[in-house]
Amino acid sequence: MKYLPINEQLFINNRKNFVSKLKSNSIAIFYSSDEYPRSGDQSYPFKQNPDFFYLSGIDQEQSILVLYPDCPNPLYKEVLFLRQTNEHIAIWEGHKYTKPEALAASGIESIFWLTDFDSILHSIINYADNIYINTNENDRYAHTVPYRDLRMLEGLRAKYPLHNYERSAPLLRDLRVIKSDIEIELTKKACEITRDAFVRVLKFTKPGVTEYEIEAEIIHEFIRQRATGHGYNPIIASGNNANVLHYIENNQVCKDGDVILFDFGAEYGNYNADMSRSVPVNGRFTPRQRDVYNAVLRVMRASTEMLVEGTVWNEYHEEVGKIMTSELIGLGLLDKHDVAKQDPKSPLYKLYFMHGTSHHLGIDVHDYASRYKPFEVGNILTCEPGIYIPAEGLGIRIENDILITKNGNVDLTADIPVEADHIEEIMNS
Ligand code: GLY
Ligand code: MN
Ligand code: MN
């Protein structure tokens, strides 16, 4: 890992909160992510399962966490199983956690090698009534590839068919969405690194540079500041490319007179920033570009005000839609008579703003959360309105990361330049 050690109190508290929600006499088992094959003999870089990390702080493959707070043997109330290193692994793959290092990272005292897993689990699981297993219940998850928790569940059900099986995911959904101080600090760090990369590319961008050269500047700044890398595929979309919402080719020349839409964010210590900015390639917005830019900025500011405790998703999106509609009328993109006659189920603003305004942000960029729960203190949400006008070869999105507190909200990206004048000033400095 490139990131500095994280205060293990984060993971101690997370486990404490999690086990307090278990039914009595329950055992919960968590597996680290699979190591995903790429092609040939290559694997993708290892990415820890977010829930496993949240509860353990352990960022290593082939690890298992067992939590059994009512375990009759106190040694096994919380146990971590790790891959035992050897000379071969040390030479070919490098360092793996020692037991003292894993204790320091996780705060877990009972640490064993993986080879002990089956026998230790078997010695305790038959005293438990419930087995909690964690599956991916993120309602945006749509892949069909089976993952480790699912495969392990099959084996457990075959071996222990008469236990009562329970789901860890709903408990984690309510826990992960409330960010603790340490998580907020990690997110702030990711935002700071993202800010520095953005300022770096503002100074770098000029007519004739390619989108991939800008991408190279970003990753340079990320890595030199200990980010793991991008939290998601970066979008560097000049001109009309900005109207492809998930444009990640990043292979075109940035032309004089165009605007570039950036959407990138650093991952630091498994926590993410998610930022969008739109800037003129030549350092000066045209009057039209500036009008559209300022319209998006006003929508972002008005929407941000609604990111407070108690706001309900549907009402929030409806309100944002109204504000966006009036901006689009102001820009001459919508006609108010047409708006008066629109079908409320498919409002006209969606022609120019077709994605959601916000999502939770955390260990996952689109963080695991209920879409039906009102916003709560401790939520971190993005605010990311955009206006996309293919007919003008122009797409603008602005995206900040907002923490909800008892006293309103705090913009974790407040020091990332966002005013059109400020962006122009840095580009021309
Ligand atoms: N970068 C992904 C998003 O903005 O949701
Ligand atoms: Mn986002
Ligand atoms: Mn984004």
Side-chain angles (χ1 to χ4, degrees):
M1 288 79 74
K2 297 184 182 75
Y3 58 87
L4 296 171
I6 296 171
N7 183 343
E8 76 275 21
Q9 203 56 47
L10 169 60
F11 311 109
I12 293 170
N13 289 341
N14 290 348
R15 287 193 297 278
K16 194 168 123 217
N17 293 334
F18 175 77
V19 299
S20 75
K21 289 177 171 276
L22 295 175
K23 291 184 176 174
S24 69
N25 201 25
S26 297
I27 188 167
I29 308 174
F30 292 90
Y31 301 95
S32 60
S33 292
D34 273 311
E35 298 152 84
Y36 287 99
R38 195 172 130 175
S39 70
D41 65 352
Q42 300 295 300
S43 303
Y44 285 104
F46 179 70
K47 173 72 184 143
Q48 188 55 286
N49 174 290
D51 298 315
F52 189 91
F53 185 78
Y54 182 81
L55 293 170
S56 71
I58 293 295
D59 210 344
Q60 186 170 288
E61 70 287 350
Q62 297 178 32
S63 311
I64 305 176
L65 172 68
V66 175
L67 301 174
Y68 184 0
D70 299 326
C71 184
N73 183 342
L75 184 62
Y76 300 140
K77 283 178 185 287
E78 51 176 28
V79 198
L80 195 56
F81 296 90
L82 298 175
R83 199 179 171 201
Q84 182 173 19
T85 194
N86 56 37
E87 225 172 275
H88 179 86
I89 293 174
I91 289 172
W92 285 82
E93 295 180 35
H95 186 71
K96 301 291 163 192
Y97 287 104
T98 62
K99 289 184 182 178
E101 284 169 349
L103 164 61
S106 66
I108 297 173
E109 311 256 346
S110 288
I111 301 177
F112 297 87
W113 302 127
L114 267 184
T115 39
D116 290 326
F117 174 68
D118 284 339
S119 63
I120 290 179
L121 184 71
H122 193 68
S123 77
I124 55 177
I125 198 166
N126 290 322
Y127 295 93
D129 297 319
N130 312 300
I131 303 176
Y132 279 72
I133 295 294
N134 191 34
T135 59
N136 185 346
E137 295 193 17
N138 186 325
D139 52 17
R140 292 165 173 253
Y141 181 80
H143 296 289
T144 51
V145 181
Y147 49 90
R148 195 154 174 234
D149 298 273
L150 284 180
R151 294 196 311 277
M152 294 300 186
L153 175 58
E154 278 177 29
L156 282 169
R157 278 195 191 277
K159 204 163 169 192
Y160 305 107
L162 297 181
H163 280 74
N164 177 43
Y165 283 81
E166 295 279 345
R167 294 148 59 206
S168 292
L171 311 183
L172 287 156
R173 183 170 61 211
D174 287 345
L175 291 172
R176 275 178 50 188
V177 79
I178 311 285
K179 272 63 181 181
S180 61
D181 289 348
I182 298 173
E183 293 180 290
I184 292 164
E185 285 310 309
L186 291 164
T187 308
K188 276 188 191 162
K189 178 73 182 167
C191 291
E192 283 165 18
I193 298 172
T194 305
R195 173 200 62 205
D196 291 350
F198 177 59
V199 171
R200 183 181 175 118
V201 300
L202 280 183
K203 294 176 179 166
F204 178 80
T205 298
K206 56 179 185 306
V209 299
T210 53
E211 294 164 348
Y212 54 81
E213 286 174 292
I214 295 174
E215 183 177 337
E217 292 294 310
I218 296 166
I219 195 69
H220 183 135
E221 192 62 35
F222 279 5
I223 301 290
R224 68 177 283 277
Q225 295 207 42
R226 294 178 178 273
T228 308
H230 290 282
Y232 51 91
N233 292 324
I235 296 171
I236 296 124
S238 61
N240 211 17
N241 298 333
N243 293 311
V244 178
L245 294 179
H246 290 160
Y247 175 81
I248 52 167
E249 293 284 332
N250 304 343
N251 62 1
Q252 298 297 306
V253 175
C254 301
K255 294 195 203 76
D256 200 352
D258 277 351
V259 166
I260 315 177
L261 189 159
F262 297 120
D263 186 344
F264 61 82
E267 177 194 317
Y268 178 85
N270 285 308
Y271 284 80
N272 295 286
D274 185 3
M275 178 210 74
S276 300
R277 289 290 184 271
S278 304
V279 316
V281 171
N282 64 13
R284 297 276 172 216
F285 288 103
T286 65
R288 174 64 172 174
Q289 289 166 350
R290 188 177 267 260
D291 285 348
V292 178
Y293 187 91
N294 283 334
V296 176
L297 189 55
R298 282 192 294 272
V299 177
M300 192 191 71
R301 295 215 159 118
S303 307
T304 300
E305 279 179 30
M306 291 184 266
L307 294 178
V308 291
E309 184 180 15
T311 296
V312 178
W313 277 109
N314 284 352
E315 291 168 14
Y316 171 64
H317 274 132
E318 247 175 63
E319 275 311 303
V320 175
K322 285 185 201 156
I323 299 163
M324 181 58 92
T325 301
S326 92
E327 291 292 351
L328 291 170
I329 292 171
L331 290 167
L333 293 165
L334 291 183
D335 180 280
K336 64 173 186 268
H337 303 291
D338 294 339
V339 168
K341 289 182 285 178
Q342 74 186 358
D343 173 2
K345 288 206 188 79
S346 54
L348 291 173
Y349 79 83
K350 294 204 172 184
L351 292 170
Y352 297 98
F353 174 41
M354 53 295 276
H355 57 77
T357 312
S358 293
H359 56 82
H360 287 272
L361 176 70
I363 306 185
D364 285 306
V365 175
H366 294 163
D367 211 25
Y368 182 41
S370 166
R371 64 175 77 210
Y372 302 107
K373 237 185 171 187
F375 302 157
E376 298 169 280
V377 170
N379 291 168
I380 298 178
L381 289 137
T382 64
C383 186
E384 50 179 305
I387 295 179
Y388 307 94
I389 323 173
E392 298 182 27
L394 177 65
I396 288 180
R397 175 164 68 255
I398 308 175
E399 176 174 24
N400 279 1
D401 302 337
I402 310 295
L403 165 71
I404 298 181
T405 74
K406 277 200 290 290
N407 315 306
N409 64 44
V410 175
D411 184 348
L412 303 179
T413 40
D415 61 354
I416 304 186
V418 72
E419 289 289 343
D421 283 345
H422 193 191
I423 284 170
E424 289 186 351
E425 185 191 312
I426 297 170
M427 292 186 81
N428 292 288
S429 63

